Amino acid sequence: MANIKRKVVLVGAGMVGMSFAYAALNQSICDELVLIDLNRERAIGEAMDLNHGLAFSNSSMKIYAGDYSDCSDADIVVICAGVNQKPGETRLQLLQRNAKVFEAIVPRVVSFGFDGIFLVATNPVDIMTRVTYELSGFNAAKVIGTGTTLDSARLRYLLGDYFEVDPRNIHAYVIGEHGDSEFVPWSQAILGVKPVYDMLRDNSAQYKMDDLKKMSNDVRTAAYEIIKAKGATYYGIGMAICKIVRAIFHNENSIYTTSVRLRGEYGLRKDVFIGNPCIINSGGANRVLELNLIGSELDQFKKSYNILDESFHSMQE
Ligand code: NAD
């Protein structure tokens, strides 16, 4: 990276953006954090509030409300800006409005010579990541969406509880659209070194496939549950963004189910952004891992892929 200081510009200082910012401050994730929001006063207030916590943190991060010219020497631009669904509004209408929001953001970021990595969290995240890719003209490796990173974390938490195993030792992923067509390829789920399928086979009285199916459904509907209970979800995704930013800054080669542009994997065309395990390092979405999907898993992935492709094209009609 060109900078010695690690600089992040956050566009969208709402609940998700500020959950990321708060986690970033506590984890000392970067040296400079710039907040941009349509509501400038909000960005100023949020920067003040975070700065007042600096004395209690281990960080000497520079935090301020800025503008798009601050993107010129940034390493990462995180986009959490968006509009909320209005009563009676369809998903497609929301999509079109958020695409307009991105038309007001991405070209401005690029116009100031930004040459780093875009990280998108705004929903529907797979489509908005593709929109960012199209608007920026960047290499696909430098445009990443949070994808199903949060869903995979939710799954690992539930599996850890069920099998009484530390979630950090569970390698299981949710892939596809971050949304209703996402799914768990159970053939790829492993507890440490033991496949989940083997756990079921060897302990059939204790562990059941039906329980796992319920778990994947619970992951899929988790956001609805949280929104019903408290209006929005933000802490989990804020921490997920933080992890991905860290993987970029530390050149970690960490695997996350980010939303990435397929490069011919699964025999599919190359233009759709979709949640799939990907190796993240300082170059961005470095390598997409093609899984050995079995049975109906490949069909489920293709179904999700088609939904995302159709949504993207219907938005443009
Ligand atoms: P929010 O309403 O609290 O914040 C959105 C912010 O975007 C507001 O501060 C608004 O002023 C700002 N904004 C709107 N238009 C802008 C523009 N043109 N330029 C700059 N700023 C602009 O919403 P939130 O709860 O923070 O959610 C943000 C997004 O994150 C939503 O799309 C939400 O669905 C999504 N989200 C994604 C995940 C995930 O897993 N990817 C999880 C939770 C939420």
Side-chain angles (χ1 to χ4, degrees):
M1 271 173 206
N3 294 331
I4 295 172
K5 68 172 175 5
R6 299 162 300 166
K7 180 173 180 181
V8 176
V9 172
L10 167 65
V11 185
M15 297 308 291
V16 170
M18 291 317 298
S19 297
F20 157 66
Y22 184 63
L25 171 59
N26 282 302
Q27 296 177 33
S28 201
I29 216 83
C30 57
D31 302 301
E32 198 168 333
L33 178 63
V34 185
L35 310 184
I36 298 177
D37 198 284
L38 194 60
N39 180 349
R40 182 158 168 81
E41 217 180 326
R42 179 172 190 169
I44 292 170
E46 292 288 7
M48 283 174 74
D49 202 1
L50 282 186
N51 276 322
H52 297 165
L54 261 180
F56 307 119
S57 80
N58 294 321
S59 175
S60 48
M61 197 184 285
K62 197 174 158 197
I63 306 167
Y64 57 95
D67 56 47
Y68 286 97
S69 65
D70 290 300
C71 297
S72 63
D73 62 346
D75 299 297
I76 303 172
V77 168
V78 174
I79 308 183
C80 301
V83 286
N84 291 321
Q85 202 152 7
K86 289 180 184 163
E89 187 177 45
T90 65
R91 217 173 147 267
L92 188 59
Q93 287 165 331
L94 174 71
L95 191 63
Q96 285 164 332
R97 284 203 300 135
N98 268 338
K100 285 263 172 289
V101 169
F102 273 45
E103 279 169 22
I105 294 171
V106 177
R108 284 170 84 188
V109 171
V110 174
S111 74
F112 283 98
F114 174 63
D115 188 29
I117 293 169
F118 278 105
L119 177 54
V120 178
T122 304
N123 274 324
V125 69
D126 305 287
I127 308 284
M128 299 319 298
T129 310
R130 186 167 172 184
V131 167
T132 304
Y133 168 74
E134 301 279 347
L135 289 172
S136 66
F138 274 28
N139 182 300
K142 292 171 71 178
V143 183
I144 309 172
T146 51
T148 46
T149 305
L150 176 60
D151 314 71
S152 295
R154 285 173 176 152
L155 175 70
R156 289 167 66 199
Y157 160 71
L158 291 174
L159 283 170
D161 200 38
Y162 184 69
F163 288 111
E164 295 177 284
V165 171
D166 184 336
R168 284 170 297 195
N169 292 132
I170 293 174
H171 306 291
Y173 300 97
V174 178
I175 62 173
E177 171 198 15
H178 171 62
D180 295 341
S181 68
E182 70 181 34
F183 70 102
V184 182
W186 288 110
S187 67
Q188 314 291 312
I190 297 170
L191 303 187
V193 290
K194 187 162 169 127
V196 160
Y197 276 159
D198 289 359
M199 286 293 285
L200 297 188
R201 188 198 56 211
D202 297 347
N203 307 275
S204 58
Q206 197 178 356
Y207 302 128
K208 314 266 183 232
M209 192 61 214
D210 279 352
D211 294 336
L212 298 193
K213 283 185 184 156
K214 181 179 178 307
M215 218 176 280
S216 58
N217 192 53
D218 287 350
V219 168
R220 195 179 306 114
T221 56
Y224 296 115
E225 285 290 308
I226 298 172
I227 289 167
K228 200 169 122 206
K230 56 175 261 188
T233 83
Y234 33 88
Y235 297 133
I237 184 64
M239 292 176 77
I241 298 169
C242 231
K243 274 282 189 189
I244 298 169
V245 168
R246 178 186 289 276
I248 295 169
F249 278 133
H250 291 246
N251 197 23
E252 278 179 1
N253 287 319
S254 292
I255 297 175
Y256 292 107
T257 46
T258 45
S259 189
V260 285
R261 187 170 188 254
L262 290 187
R263 301 156 195 189
E265 289 81 4
Y266 309 104
L268 293 166
R269 283 197 336 269
K270 298 185 178 181
D271 38 9
V272 170
F273 279 73
I274 188 165
N276 189 76
C278 182
I279 296 175
I280 305 290
N281 65 18
S282 58
N286 181 259
R287 273 179 290 158
V288 176
L289 297 177
E290 183 170 353
L291 304 175
N292 188 17
L293 298 176
I294 61 167
S296 65
E297 291 171 354
L298 185 58
D299 290 339
Q300 282 179 273
F301 192 78
K302 285 181 177 167
K303 185 179 158 207
S304 210
Y305 171 99
N306 286 331
I307 287 171
L308 288 171
D309 204 26
E310 281 159 21
S311 298
F312 180 80
H313 290 297
S314 58
M315 181 188 73
Q316 293 181 316
E317 279 162 11

